[in-house]
Amino acid sequence: MSVLLLLLSALVLIYLGIGGTTAATILSIATVIGLFQDHWHPLSIIVGGALLALALILILPGDLRLDKLSRPLLAWVRSRLPSLSDTEAQALKSGSVDWDGELFSGNPDWKKLLEARPAHLTSEEQAFLDGPVEKLCAMLDDWKITHEQYDLPDKVWKFIQEKGFFGLIIPKEDGGLGFSHTAHSEIVMKISTRSVSAAVTVMVPNSLGPGELLMQYGTDDQKQHYLPRLAKGEEIPCFALTSPVAGSDAGAIPDKGIVCKGQWNGKEVLGLKVTWNKRYITLAPVATLIGLAIKVYDPDKLLGGSDDIGVTCVLIPRETEGVNAGARHLPMNTVFMNGPTWGTEVFIPMDQVIGGQDMLGKGWTMLLECLSIGRSISLPALGTGAGKVASLATGSYAYTREQFGRSISQFEGVQEALEPIAGYTYMMDAARLLTAGMLDRGVRPSVPSAVLKYRNTDLMREVINHAMDVVAGRGVITGPRNFLARAYQAVPIGITVEGANILTRSLMIFGQGAIRCHPYIVEEIEAAGMDNEDEAVRKFDGIFYRHLAHTTRNALRALVLGLSRGWLQSVPRQGEIQSSYRQLARFSAAFSLMTDVTLLSVGGGLKARQRLSGRMADCLTHLYYATAVIKQWHEEGYPEDQRPLVEWSLQTCLRDLQAAMRDAIINFPVPLLRWPLRLLVFPLGATGLNGPDDRLGAQVAESIVKDTPVRQRISRGAFVTMDPEDPLGRVLNAYKLAHDTEDMRHRLHEAVRNRNEDEVDGIALLMGHQRKELVDWACAQGVVKADECDQLQEALTALYDVIRVDAFEGEGLKALSRCAKGKRKVVERPPQD
């Protein structure tokens, strides 16, 4: 009994998170009670006493634990911890941890999620969206931009510059608009629903350009000189990071700057001779100010330190002698300005190092801090914008398009495609707003930014593909009528840039998050890296046993919550979604356990286990998106009409989370651990979370077909026009007319189905192109009233116009080909050093 009571007490204490002297006292009392129950049997005294002594050594700090346990354990842990490159070590120190840390903890604090200050727009920001942004969108004709001009029109460039679109995030005192990150996201998203090229043009100076770096790290002189010019559009910036041979590996950047003396404005000054060859650089062809990430070397020891100084961020004015730019890439024929830039031994003074000479070698940390902001806003906003357009346009098209006398939105096969369009768009928007709210609170979410970039661009691909399935032949014919083609063509851009999704998923999200967001690992790594062995052991001793208790507690929580289906977990009652809260808490515990087991057993080999890392990244992603949906619904006051979307999103995330966790376990690289993990995480089997049923799916599909507040909520923030000459306006105008004439058209269809046999050929002809004759026939037969005829005629004309596609005269296409022939030349660049 002494052993049994000791073990049971230990398990309860661990599960409840009680330690220290309180735990020691309880364990001692439990052991004594057990000894009494065993009548002080010698065996009970020996075994129970030994286990109690071991427990007290583990619980209470002391020299015995320090020397006999912690010192050898530190040596073992050093052999298991993953080795980190300099850039990875800097990545772990950059950014900050917020809600992602709660998900890694195994016991998320729901109060922290629900009470966090949400994304919010000021009246000034909303006025900008309703004014200049709305006007800019109305100026954009994406077909002409892409196929006739290969650039934004001059008047659009001028409008963007004059209205401050390049200075959205620059403080007002520096000449910018000083908007929040939420406003930045909303602006980019709205523009993207009109033109990807225009959205990218606006977003890059605000998220990936030198502006953010200057705001955070620039010298006073740099800020005073450049920020007002950037805000007013007097300077057009770009930032060049990607090199042909380095790709996403910052440690392999071949572009370099050699410390030397040279001439600048007629004076000899200390500076850098910079050589670079960059590609995929947005705005490079038109940029007047080029930001560069290079590696700096000091072979002549002019600075008196190391030869290899490290990654550094510099600014080079376009007119500097030796700078080459102006050639253009065409990313999937999307015509935002993008191209290479290169130069050989271009001299710049130290004043052109962002932050000045003191920031030499600190460029990678600077980039990580600022890229986490840009990755949280730019491409996630584009992905959400694509989802909103797809929901708005495809839902409208499905309602207006008829087959066999019925709207295709009534077909279950079509509903099956509409369902994820609506649901995924709702999820993307929720995650976008959760992360924007973090940014506005001052968080620099390095891990959530990677999650958001990866998942929103991936869901964009899912949504657009489903939309193309619904629109079918109408969606694959190129022309000014096509409302999906541009988004469809641009999908691979978002998947690829700012860290390709394969890399982001398989290396970055879990690889960084498992360490960065873990409550103890970072401190253990710091202890392992300390030079003073005694100090290292003491620091390690203060952390490791808390880590051990944390892992054991999460193992117990995973098992207990798995057995009880989460019913033993206390969760919020708001929204009446307690079952989802319980499952999320259960899987958070399982995810935390899996994280510790992975780090313990795989250790430094995690980089090579990219399938495992990718599956664990998926687990975190589904946890994050499910909780983002809960946060969004909470902030909107739990409107009941959104419940189907919320339930669909939560059930989808939980189904996919269960599948990712299951796949991680059955393919775990240490076979001996598979069954123990399966027992702890899925004690009753991986069942019960099957995702939304058909009834719920039909409700979600209907949410973008019916003209309701929910449809408006899903598409909120998109540019909307009813212009029948506009690709989107055409289908929205037809959608409205179809709703207005629904009863008339129903009567017309009934009359056609019940027509006399001798009218078959005539009516069949009328149903094709001669709509006026059809309406006249309906009026003559009394099917519709006289005062309804014109309205019905207008609706039928609009409905037919929606299904029409563009056709091009053959000679015109040949003339276009002759015009382009021989004029698009590849620009030869010097070989990479």
Side-chain angles (χ1 to χ4, degrees):
M1 287 297 295
S2 62
V3 174
L4 180 62
L5 287 177
L6 174 64
L7 291 176
L8 287 176
S9 300
L11 291 175
V12 171
L13 290 169
I14 291 172
Y15 189 89
L16 297 176
I18 299 173
T21 55
T22 301
T25 302
I26 292 173
L27 290 175
S28 299
I29 293 173
T31 305
V32 170
I33 292 173
L35 292 173
F36 178 77
Q37 292 290 326
D38 291 335
H39 304 291
W40 306 97
H41 192 282
L43 182 61
S44 180
I45 294 174
I46 294 172
V47 177
L51 289 176
L52 176 62
L54 178 61
L56 294 178
I57 291 173
L58 291 174
I59 292 172
L60 301 175
D63 291 340
L64 179 62
R65 187 178 83 177
L66 195 73
D67 292 328
K68 300 302 181 182
L69 289 179
S70 297
R71 196 175 295 276
L73 277 172
L74 176 59
W76 179 78
V77 167
R78 278 172 172 156
S79 69
R80 304 307 303 164
L81 288 173
S83 59
L84 301 176
S85 66
D86 290 341
T87 55
E88 288 171 324
Q90 292 178 54
L92 291 178
K93 296 177 182 178
S94 68
S96 45
V97 177
D98 193 76
W99 181 243
D100 46 325
E102 291 293 321
L103 296 177
F104 269 94
S105 73
N107 190 15
D109 183 353
W110 302 114
K111 185 177 180 181
K112 180 177 180 179
L113 173 71
L114 299 181
E115 294 184 356
R117 182 161 57 89
H120 173 71
L121 292 175
T122 66
S123 56
E124 181 184 8
E125 291 166 345
Q126 187 63 57
F128 189 82
L129 278 160
D130 296 338
V133 178
E134 186 80 7
K135 186 173 181 180
L136 172 61
C137 289
M139 297 168 66
L140 299 170
D141 184 326
D142 202 58
W143 172 263
K144 290 182 179 179
I145 290 170
T146 305
H147 294 87
E148 297 177 13
Q149 298 158 338
Y150 285 92
D151 190 8
L152 302 178
D154 290 342
K155 66 176 182 178
V156 171
W157 275 105
K158 184 178 180 181
F159 186 84
I160 288 173
Q161 291 168 290
E162 290 180 348
K163 296 300 181 180
F165 281 87
F166 286 162
L168 297 176
I169 63 170
I170 294 175
K172 291 184 177 180
E173 56 267 28
D174 292 315
L177 296 175
F179 284 170
S180 65
H181 296 291
T182 299
H184 178 195
S185 177
E186 292 284 340
I187 290 165
V188 170
M189 183 184 72
K190 186 166 189 173
I191 299 171
S192 74
T193 65
R194 191 66 174 160
S195 167
V196 171
S197 295
V200 172
T201 300
V202 168
M203 82 186 189
V204 166
N206 290 288
S207 59
L208 302 174
E212 181 78 23
L213 291 167
L214 286 168
M215 287 162 52
Q216 297 294 326
Y217 303 104
T219 65
D220 289 341
D221 288 344
Q222 289 172 343
K223 292 178 182 178
Q224 291 169 12
H225 177 74
Y226 284 118
L227 290 181
R229 296 171 62 82
L230 289 168
K232 296 174 184 176
E234 295 173 4
E235 296 273 14
I236 298 178
C238 71
F239 195 87
L241 175 62
T242 305
S243 296
V245 298
S248 299
D249 183 3
I253 290 177
D255 312 286
K256 60 187 179 183
I258 305 299
V259 178
C260 64
K261 291 184 178 181
Q263 294 294 315
W264 187 263
N265 293 335
K267 297 180 181 179
E268 185 179 68
V269 296
L270 186 67
L272 302 170
K273 276 189 178 178
V274 184
T275 299
W276 74 96
N277 180 16
K278 305 282 192 178
R279 66 180 178 186
Y280 309 148
I281 311 306
T282 300
L283 294 185
V286 295
T288 62
L289 183 65
I290 302 171
L292 288 177
I294 59 173
K295 277 189 173 180
V296 172
Y297 302 91
D298 184 15
D300 296 330
K301 300 294 183 66
L302 296 179
L303 300 179
S306 170
D307 292 357
D308 187 350
I309 295 175
V311 177
T312 301
C313 297
V314 301
L315 293 173
I316 301 183
R318 172 67 178 84
E319 68 271 12
T320 306
E321 184 178 355
V323 174
N324 294 278
R328 291 180 61 182
H329 303 312
L330 287 177
M332 294 303 293
N333 209 39
T334 302
V335 297
F336 59 85
M337 287 292 171
N338 185 281
T341 175
W342 69 95
T344 304
E345 295 191 345
V346 176
F347 181 79
I348 58 171
M350 286 294 179
D351 289 346
Q352 295 303 118
V353 174
I354 297 179
Q357 184 173 320
D358 291 342
M359 296 304 289
L360 286 170
K362 299 177 182 178
W364 187 233
T365 299
M366 293 162 61
L367 287 171
L368 287 169
E369 291 280 354
C370 293
L371 284 173
S372 70
I373 297 173
R375 284 162 61 90
S376 299
I377 294 173
S378 53
L379 293 173
L382 259 65
T384 308
K388 288 178 181 286
V389 168
S391 298
L392 195 62
T394 311
S396 299
Y397 181 85
Y399 177 79
T400 60
R401 182 74 169 97
E402 294 184 344
Q403 219 46 91
F404 313 115
R406 298 170 60 200
S407 165
I408 65 169
S409 65
Q410 299 175 16
F411 298 169
E412 288 192 359
V414 173
Q415 290 173 358
E416 198 171 6
L418 293 173
E419 173 187 339
I421 295 174
Y424 285 151
T425 299
Y426 190 80
M427 288 166 57
M428 284 193 282
D429 205 27
R432 178 185 68 89
L433 291 171
L434 173 64
T435 314
M438 286 184 194
L439 291 167
D440 287 338
R441 296 196 305 270
V443 178
R444 294 295 179 263
S446 56
V447 174
S449 71
V451 169
L452 199 64
K453 185 273 170 182
Y454 154 62
R455 186 59 172 164
N456 264 30
T457 55
D458 193 54
L459 290 181
M460 174 187 179
R461 172 165 54 186
E462 291 275 343
V463 164
I464 294 298
N465 280 341
H466 285 300
M468 290 292 286
D469 287 347
V470 173
V471 179
R474 174 69 172 78
V476 299
I477 303 301
T478 296
R481 289 174 169 269
N482 196 316
F483 51 82
L484 284 178
R486 304 306 307 126
Y488 183 80
Q489 197 168 17
V491 162
I493 301 172
I495 298 291
T496 302
V497 301
E498 292 186 35
N501 278 9
I502 289 177
L503 169 74
T504 302
R505 174 181 177 268
S506 61
L507 287 176
M508 291 180 61
I509 293 175
F510 183 71
Q512 291 183 12
I515 299 174
R516 186 71 183 88
C517 300
H518 197 284
Y520 303 108
I521 288 289
V522 171
E523 291 183 87
E524 288 173 342
I525 290 176
E526 291 174 353
M530 295 176 68
D531 294 329
N532 187 306
E533 186 67 13
D534 290 336
E535 290 183 8
V537 172
R538 280 193 294 271
K539 182 177 178 67
F540 177 78
D541 182 77
I543 301 165
F544 178 76
Y545 300 98
R546 286 184 290 154
H547 185 173
L548 184 63
H550 167 82
T551 304
T552 308
R553 180 163 54 252
N554 280 319
L556 287 173
R557 281 176 49 78
L559 176 62
V560 171
L561 294 179
L563 288 169
S564 67
R565 299 293 188 187
W567 282 98
L568 296 180
Q569 176 70 26
S570 176
V571 296
R573 300 186 63 84
Q574 298 102 310
E576 298 182 357
I577 49 172
Q578 292 93 324
S579 62
S580 293
Y581 272 120
R582 293 185 182 110
Q583 291 295 340
L584 290 169
R586 166 200 171 189
F587 278 111
S588 175
F591 177 72
S592 182
L593 170 65
M594 286 286 294
T595 297
D596 277 323
V597 171
T598 298
L599 293 175
L600 180 67
S601 61
V602 178
L606 182 60
K607 292 179 189 177
R609 301 291 185 178
Q610 293 169 24
R611 291 178 185 264
L612 171 63
S613 183
R615 288 172 180 133
M616 293 298 290
D618 290 340
C619 293
L620 177 62
T621 298
H622 299 314
L623 282 167
Y624 189 80
Y625 274 66
T627 53
V629 167
I630 291 174
K631 173 65 171 174
Q632 176 172 263
W633 200 34
H634 171 76
E635 294 304 329
E636 297 192 9
Y638 301 102
E640 193 62 26
D641 59 358
Q642 290 183 27
R643 180 176 293 278
L645 279 166
V646 172
E647 294 281 6
W648 186 93
S649 299
L650 293 175
Q651 291 180 31
T652 298
C653 286
L654 286 169
R655 177 198 64 201
D656 296 343
L657 171 56
Q658 177 180 258
M661 185 72 71
R662 178 180 177 275
D663 287 345
I665 291 173
I666 65 177
N667 292 285
F668 199 76
V670 183
L672 288 175
L673 294 177
R674 292 173 185 171
W675 275 107
L677 287 172
R678 186 179 297 185
L679 177 63
L680 289 171
V681 176
F682 297 112
L684 301 179
T687 59
L689 300 175
N690 300 317
D693 60 21
D694 291 347
R695 180 193 58 81
L696 181 58
Q699 288 180 288
V700 170
E702 191 177 72
S703 68
I704 56 173
V705 174
K706 287 193 172 182
D707 189 13
T708 65
V710 178
R711 172 182 156 93
Q712 296 168 17
R713 171 59 190 87
I714 293 173
S715 61
R716 186 179 69 191
F719 177 76
V720 176
T721 176
M722 303 296 289
D723 181 359
E725 297 301 316
D726 181 89
L728 177 61
R730 179 176 287 108
V731 70
L732 295 184
N733 178 62
Y735 177 76
K736 180 181 182 303
L737 292 173
H739 267 284
D740 293 343
T741 60
E742 183 174 11
D743 180 61
M744 301 177 216
R745 292 183 298 105
H746 176 72
R747 281 181 269 142
L748 177 61
H749 286 307
E750 286 297 315
V752 169
R753 276 195 289 267
N754 296 326
R755 64 194 179 275
N756 295 328
E757 289 299 324
D758 57 358
E759 294 180 303
V760 171
D761 294 337
I763 296 300
L765 175 63
L766 293 173
M767 289 298 288
H769 302 287
Q770 301 176 32
R771 288 169 299 282
K772 185 177 185 306
E773 288 83 350
L774 177 60
V775 174
D776 289 344
W777 175 84
C779 289
Q781 296 293 319
V783 176
V784 294
K785 301 173 184 177
D787 60 355
E788 295 176 325
C789 293
D790 290 344
Q791 188 180 10
L792 180 59
Q793 174 67 43
E794 182 185 10
L796 292 180
T797 300
L799 293 178
Y800 180 70
D801 193 44
V802 163
I803 65 174
R804 292 176 59 201
V805 296
D806 297 289
F808 299 91
E809 191 269 329
E811 282 303 315
L813 291 177
K814 290 180 180 179
L816 181 64
S817 176
R818 289 193 296 270
C819 182
K821 187 175 181 180
K823 294 185 178 180
R824 296 178 188 172
K825 297 181 180 179
V826 175
V827 178
E828 295 296 334
R829 297 184 298 280
Q832 185 71 37
D833 288 346

